[in-house]
Every structure is written in structure tokens, then in C-alpha cells.
Amino acid sequence: LDTVLNQLVGTLDASGAAIYFSESGGFKLRGVSKELEDSYLPEFMPYGAGIPTYVLRESRACRLSIQQDLEGDRVASGMFMDLDNRSKHLLRVQDMPPYRSEICLPVFYGTQILGVLEVGWKRPQAPLAYDVNVLEVICDYLSIQLVGMASSLRSRRTAELGRSLNVLRDELFAYLDDPVAASRAVSAEICAVLNCHFCPVEYDASLDAYVIDFEGGSRVALPDDPEKLFFSTTAPAARLGAGPDGFGASVLGGTSAEDLKHVRITRVDESMPMGGWLRAHGLPCQGLYVDTGIEAGRPRSEGDGKHSSDAIVPASVAKGPTTRALLLRDGSQEPIDDLEYDYLVHLAHDFELIYEGESQKREERHIAQTLQIGMRNSLGDVPGIATDSVYLSATNSALVGGDFYTLIRLPDDCAVMILGDVSGKGIEAASMSALVKTALTAYAWEGAGPARMARSLNSMLMGFSRVETFVTAFIAKIDLKAGRATYCSAGHPPTMVIRPESMPLGGGEARGGEVELLGCQSGVIGAFEGMVYETGAFTFAPGDMLFMYTDGTIEARDRTGAFFGEQRLRDLLLSVSGEGVSGICGKVLGELDRFTESALDDDIALVSLEFLRGRS
């Protein structure tokens, strides 16, 4: 973005350029030209304020003249004039751009507003209509790129918040018996990630009132009970930024504020009475109020709804971080957005489970959810093949990942088995795996062989110039009549053919159990143009099994750092294969769970096929 803005400034002989993205609650600065790096620019302008709001309402490029009223060396007030319709409008000092004249125009993608672009001059002048036309053409071109960029920024923020949640979970577990240290660690992490002030709200017995402790310095007494101040009024809408493109939707997971049993979270902003009171007392005036539902030495206020309780909880029982707190930002900052709100809801949910002694329930709930996710990876019903599978995602915040598999029934007693792993974790990997799975399924129905399917997918992924994703996959085309299969293993861990110990009908020499590794290997898909993909083949008899897995299986580590490894997997499969295919993946997963002590750190997909027909 900065590169584009620098080029615009040079082309139009301007003094600077900036771009704001339309986000939850207002416009956030996302890029500046190098000329403005040392200049003041508003970091955030809420809807209803500043030049971006005016331009959005006009829905056109605007040529503006900026006027500043000075008191000494300080800007006291300002206004801007629309040179096209000669209208004048007041401008808050904090929303003042560093220009005397500018062109400001909206950037749309279809009907969706993406943001506004400002190009300005520090000298008074009337911007040319030709310059406006140039910028309009550039914005039309940029809009396609900006859609992807907005999504990328949101994904990056999602990943950042997801990592922070993992850190906070560790902190809460680490300081389970030290609530003071837990409160200190949690508040420090929240302040760093959300760029806010963490202000405990505590009961002061000497004042018989609740007070706000602002950064360990000033203590300001609240005018009333927190229950009446924060929960007797309607908070701002929780989904201000939601749009048809889904930018405003939660992507951190399925937990919502309604799922919380004790913790309550409500928004605070300048439009609310409490926000105005905070501003009048010189405190940051927008953010969130959090009530953990724990009360030390004092009964809950009456009228507390579902959280009402007449019991006094002794201080010795009230373990955990600060029971009440305000997370506040200055009026010049953006309000807490929906993604950050969901982040705190998830943190509150974890807090409840941990401090109620329900950590085990959380794990069971997580496993149930991941198993449900795994069921979406369906294995089709193919006569002559019995199946077993399991999928477990290591991404706690999203419960989805990049591993996928499918079994496709084709005519003439044929089938195609696909198991793949898209690089990365979470929602991005899951969305890409859906695309890859759909493409491979289409290639299978076209009758393509495994190596050709891999080549076609590689060409498709290389065509996405902005997608830095690669795929490992095992693709097998199975002929049940012939008892033969061809396959392509593209950067994937070697698939195993299990030939269990058996006794032939009518006597004869018994066949000892063995596990054969399919050794024909090719490179990953989506990394390089012109990658060569080779075809391998194997035969199978009735009772033989095909066992496929993603790399998280053999790369699982125990507490000493040792890998689970290929040999340990082969020995395990040979020992349990005599019991049939049903449940074999669950047995492998159970052994992995014991080996890692329930600390798997990668997505895992396991699939096993038993051939009920084949070469005798």
C-alpha cells in the first residue's frame, strides 16, 4: 500500500497520500506515503466524524479545501469546503488532515465500501479534475486487490488473537494457585494485544463504593453500583461491522457471550452515559466492562438476573484474576471491534472452565467438536471397500484445519481415494482445503489418473499468484475387479499397505502379516511450475488394508522430543490389523494420545480402507 501511495504522490506532485480501511465502527489508517511519516494523521475516525464520513455519504470523489483556525501555535478548530458544491463543514481538531487541499474518494468493491483514499497538498490549490479522473481509475483497479488485502489483514489479526488466547490459557493454567500473578500476567497480555488500559474495578470498604484503579495511580469512585451503571442500559450493537462479504463475522470459533455461565461482558462508548462520565473524569472513555462473576466478601447486588446470588463468597474462595475490570481506549482510538470482542469472550469462556475445575470438560468438548468437524470429511460408500477414519485439529481457536480426505465411487467397480494436507492451520487452511478437495473430486470424475490429477491441481494453484500455499496429497485410483491400484504420492508421508496374517481356505501355508510402504514419491503440489509427478502401483487381496495419514501422525513428539516415527506406526498397525479395519484409526489415535500425553500440536487425519475384494 505504501508503495502505491508513494507512486501516486510522485505522479500528482502531491505532498502526501493516505488510505483508510472501513472497519468495525469507523475508518482505520492502513497506509501512508513516506512524506507523511513524521506528520500527524488520525489513526482512527469513527463513522459520523471526519472527511471520510462525508465522502462516504457523497459516494463520489471530492475536491476539498482545508482551513485551520490557530490559537498561537496550536490548531483550535477547522473546517473544510467541498469545491464542487461550495458547501462548508466543521472538522474536529483530532480529525484534521495535514493538508490545505486534497482529493478524497471512496473505494468500492461492487456496493461494498472498502475505504477512502486521500491525496493532499500542503499548499492551497484547486485540485484538477484530470487528477480526480486518474485517481478514480486507480481506485477501480485497486478495489480488487484491496478486497484480498482486507481479508488478509483480518486473517492476520485473527491469527494474532488466536496465538494470544493460547498464551493466556497457558498463563491461567500456570498460575492456577497464584491469582495475583495470574491477574498480572493476563492483564499485561490483554493490554499489549488490544492496546488498551486495564483498569480494575474494586470495592473500597472505607468508601462503601466501587472505585476504578487507573494504572495503579488515581482511584476514582464510581457514582453507583457497577450493576446499575453497566448492565441497566443497552450496549452498542455487537456486530456493527458485519457485511455481506463476511468481514464482520467471527472467525475465532463457535463460542458466544450467551454461552458464558458467570462472566459478563458489555461495551462502553462515548454515546453511553458511562462513557460520558469516564470522559468527564479524564479517563479513557470507550471499551469493555468485564465482570467475572466472582465476588469476594460482599453479596451480589439484587436484580442481577441469571447471576443473582444472596451468598457472600469468602475472599479465600475468590481465586483468579481481578473480579471486575474496565478495558479502555482513548477517544482517538478505534472502539473494540467484533473480532476483539470475540477474543475476550473466548478468554472469559476459558476462565470459567479453568477456575471452576472444568478443564477436563473443556478437552472433552473440544474432542467432540473436532470429531464433528472430522465427519465433514466423508468417505463415500463403495461396495467392496470397508472404511475407517478420524480427524483431529490442533487449532483450538478455530477447530478446523487443512487436512482433508474423500473416497469417490466411480463406475465399473472403480474408486478414487484422496488424502491431502494444505499448509498452515485454522480457517485459511480449511478454506483452501475445501477448494483443493473440490478440484480433485472434479478431476476424478473426469477420469484422470492420479499423476494427472496432481499436475492439474499444481497448475491451478500456481495460477493463483497471491496464494502462498502448497499441498501434499496421496491419490489412488482403485480397480476392485483387477485387485490393482495406481497412485501418486505428492510430498506425502508413505502410505502403508497392510497384509494381515491369514490362513488360506482349504489349508495351505499361512501368510504372515506384513506392512508394505508405497515408495513411489513425487514433490509437493503448488510450490513449483513444471513439477513432475510419477505414478506408482500396487496390488491387493481380500482382507488387505490401505492405511493413510498426514505428517502430524509420525511427527508427534513425546515430552523428551522423540518422534512417534514411521517404524512405531508400522509395528502398531501390524499388531492391531488382525482385528479388522473397524476402529483401527481410533486405536492409532489413542496410542498417539498416550505417546504425546495429550499434547498433539498438529492436525491429524487417519484413513484406512479394507479391500473386501481383490486378487485371490
Side-chain angles (χ1 to χ4, degrees):
L1 272 177
D2 291 348
T3 300
V4 171
L5 296 175
N6 288 332
Q7 292 175 345
L8 283 178
V9 169
T11 301
L12 300 180
D13 190 26
S15 303
I19 190 166
Y20 288 82
F21 276 15
S22 177
E23 299 187 3
S24 179
F27 295 92
K28 185 175 180 62
L29 184 66
R30 286 297 189 184
V32 295
S33 64
K34 61 180 182 296
E35 292 82 5
L36 299 178
E37 289 177 354
D38 296 327
S39 301
Y40 168 77
L41 277 170
E43 291 286 333
F44 181 83
M45 284 180 277
Y47 293 128
I51 291 174
T53 295
Y54 174 79
V55 173
L56 179 60
R57 289 170 179 167
E58 292 291 313
S59 295
R60 61 175 173 84
C62 298
R63 299 183 303 152
L64 307 174
S65 173
I66 314 296
Q67 299 178 19
Q68 299 177 351
D69 295 330
L70 301 177
E71 290 182 0
D73 295 332
R74 184 177 64 88
V75 177
S77 62
M79 63 181 297
F80 66 90
M81 174 184 290
D82 189 331
L83 298 178
D84 294 313
N85 61 19
R86 313 304 295 177
S87 60
K88 294 183 179 181
H89 307 271
L90 295 177
L91 196 59
R92 299 189 308 175
V93 174
Q94 60 264 40
D95 299 331
M96 191 79 66
Y99 315 119
R100 297 298 300 278
S101 56
E102 71 170 60
I103 300 172
C104 187
L105 64 163
V107 183
F108 286 97
Y109 182 74
T111 59
Q112 175 72 27
I113 178 68
L114 299 180
V116 294
L117 174 66
E118 294 182 343
V119 179
W121 293 262
K122 292 187 177 180
R123 58 187 181 275
Q125 70 174 53
L128 301 175
Y130 173 79
D131 292 341
V132 174
N133 294 335
V134 170
L135 289 173
E136 286 177 335
V137 172
I138 291 174
C139 283
D140 286 342
Y141 172 75
L142 280 179
S143 64
I144 299 174
Q145 306 295 324
L146 291 180
V147 168
M149 188 173 295
S151 178
S152 175
L153 286 169
R154 184 172 179 81
S155 297
R156 188 184 309 169
R157 181 60 169 163
T158 301
E160 180 185 5
L161 294 177
R163 287 191 294 269
S164 177
L165 277 175
N166 289 331
V167 169
L168 287 169
R169 290 184 187 112
D170 292 341
E171 298 283 8
L172 290 173
F173 274 116
Y175 298 113
L176 197 59
D177 298 322
D178 189 347
V180 175
S183 179
R184 187 181 302 117
V186 169
S187 61
E189 174 68 14
I190 291 175
C191 289
V193 171
L194 298 186
N195 189 25
C196 66
H197 302 275
F198 187 91
C199 306
V201 177
E202 303 167 347
Y203 178 70
D204 189 325
S206 63
L207 298 175
D208 191 25
Y210 285 89
V211 298
I212 300 174
D213 185 355
F214 184 64
E215 297 189 337
S218 58
R219 291 170 65 86
V220 182
L222 288 173
D224 206 337
D225 188 275
E227 186 66 31
K228 298 177 181 177
L229 294 174
F230 295 102
F231 294 108
S232 61
T233 58
T234 303
R239 290 289 178 266
L240 287 175
D245 57 3
F247 289 162
S250 169
V251 292
L252 278 178
T255 300
S256 67
E258 288 73 22
D259 297 325
L260 300 176
K261 297 178 181 178
H262 307 288
V263 181
R264 290 181 296 166
I265 302 174
T266 187
R267 298 181 188 241
V268 178
D269 71 9
E270 294 181 85
S271 67
M272 302 173 63
M274 196 58 210
W277 183 90
L278 290 168
R279 184 178 63 252
H281 285 75
L283 297 172
C285 55
Q286 59 181 355
L288 293 171
Y289 174 73
V290 181
D291 183 343
T292 64
I294 298 174
E295 184 68 61
R298 180 178 169 83
R300 278 288 188 205
S301 302
E302 295 182 1
D304 197 8
K306 65 176 181 177
H307 304 283
S308 179
S309 172
D310 295 328
I312 296 178
V313 182
S316 60
V317 178
K319 290 186 177 182
T322 304
T323 61
R324 293 181 175 89
L326 280 162
L327 307 178
L328 297 176
R329 287 176 174 167
D330 298 325
S332 61
Q333 296 176 272
E334 67 268 30
I336 298 291
D337 66 25
D338 299 330
L339 198 56
E340 294 167 333
Y341 179 86
D342 291 338
Y343 159 82
L344 290 168
V345 168
H346 277 71
L347 175 60
H349 188 252
D350 288 337
F351 170 84
E352 285 188 340
L353 295 181
I354 293 170
Y355 283 89
E356 289 180 359
E358 294 183 5
S359 57
Q360 184 61 40
K361 292 182 181 179
R362 183 188 66 176
E363 293 302 320
E364 292 173 356
R365 187 178 299 111
H366 173 66
I367 292 171
Q369 289 173 315
T370 52
L371 288 176
Q372 290 174 355
I373 295 291
M375 291 174 64
R376 299 176 191 173
N377 277 314
S378 60
L379 293 172
D381 184 15
V382 177
I385 298 178
T387 65
D388 188 46
S389 64
V390 67
Y391 173 74
L392 180 67
S393 171
T395 308
N396 292 329
S397 63
L399 295 178
V400 289
D403 295 358
F404 64 93
Y405 50 83
T406 186
L407 177 64
I408 306 163
R409 180 182 180 181
L410 297 179
D412 300 324
D413 280 341
C414 289
V416 169
M417 177 67 219
I418 301 168
L419 175 69
D421 184 1
V422 174
S423 59
K425 295 185 180 73
I427 196 70
E428 292 182 73
S431 59
M432 183 55 69
S433 69
L435 172 65
V436 170
K437 183 178 177 181
T438 301
L440 289 175
T441 301
Y443 301 151
W445 278 107
E446 290 174 357
R452 181 181 161 193
M453 292 168 66
R455 285 194 298 271
S456 298
L457 180 61
N458 188 64
S459 298
M460 183 187 78
L461 293 181
M462 294 305 299
F464 296 154
S465 60
R466 297 182 65 87
V467 175
E468 298 178 357
T469 299
F470 65 86
V471 180
T472 68
F474 175 79
I475 308 167
K477 189 167 186 178
I478 303 166
D479 186 340
L480 290 167
K481 286 182 179 178
R484 185 176 185 274
T486 57
Y487 69 90
C488 178
S489 184
H492 208 67
T495 291
M496 300 181 182
V497 178
I498 309 168
R499 308 187 193 279
E501 184 176 352
S502 63
M503 178 68 71
L505 294 174
E509 186 178 351
R511 185 179 72 173
E514 62 177 6
V515 176
E516 173 190 349
L517 260 65
L518 299 182
C520 182
Q521 294 288 322
S522 304
V524 299
I525 301 171
F528 303 103
E529 296 270 9
M531 178 71 75
V532 176
Y533 297 99
E534 299 182 357
T535 300
F538 65 92
T539 59
F540 53 88
D544 288 350
M545 300 180 197
L546 190 67
F547 188 84
M548 296 148 283
Y549 54 95
T550 51
D551 55 8
T553 306
I554 55 176
E555 293 176 2
R557 296 173 182 258
D558 63 12
R559 65 166 55 192
T560 68
F563 289 109
F564 188 78
E566 200 173 87
Q567 186 59 49
R568 187 177 278 105
L569 178 60
R570 293 176 68 176
D571 294 343
L572 174 61
L573 290 174
L574 201 55
S575 67
V576 300
S577 60
E579 302 171 22
V581 73
S582 178
I584 192 171
C585 294
K587 294 169 186 173
V588 173
L589 184 61
E591 186 61 32
L592 282 170
D593 200 47
R594 285 188 292 273
F595 181 79
T596 63
E597 298 182 2
S598 302
L600 291 170
D601 58 2
D602 196 3
D603 299 342
I604 287 179
L606 307 173
V607 179
S608 186
L609 309 183
E610 181 178 2
F611 301 111
L612 307 180
R613 288 187 285 157
R615 290 186 175 182
S616 62

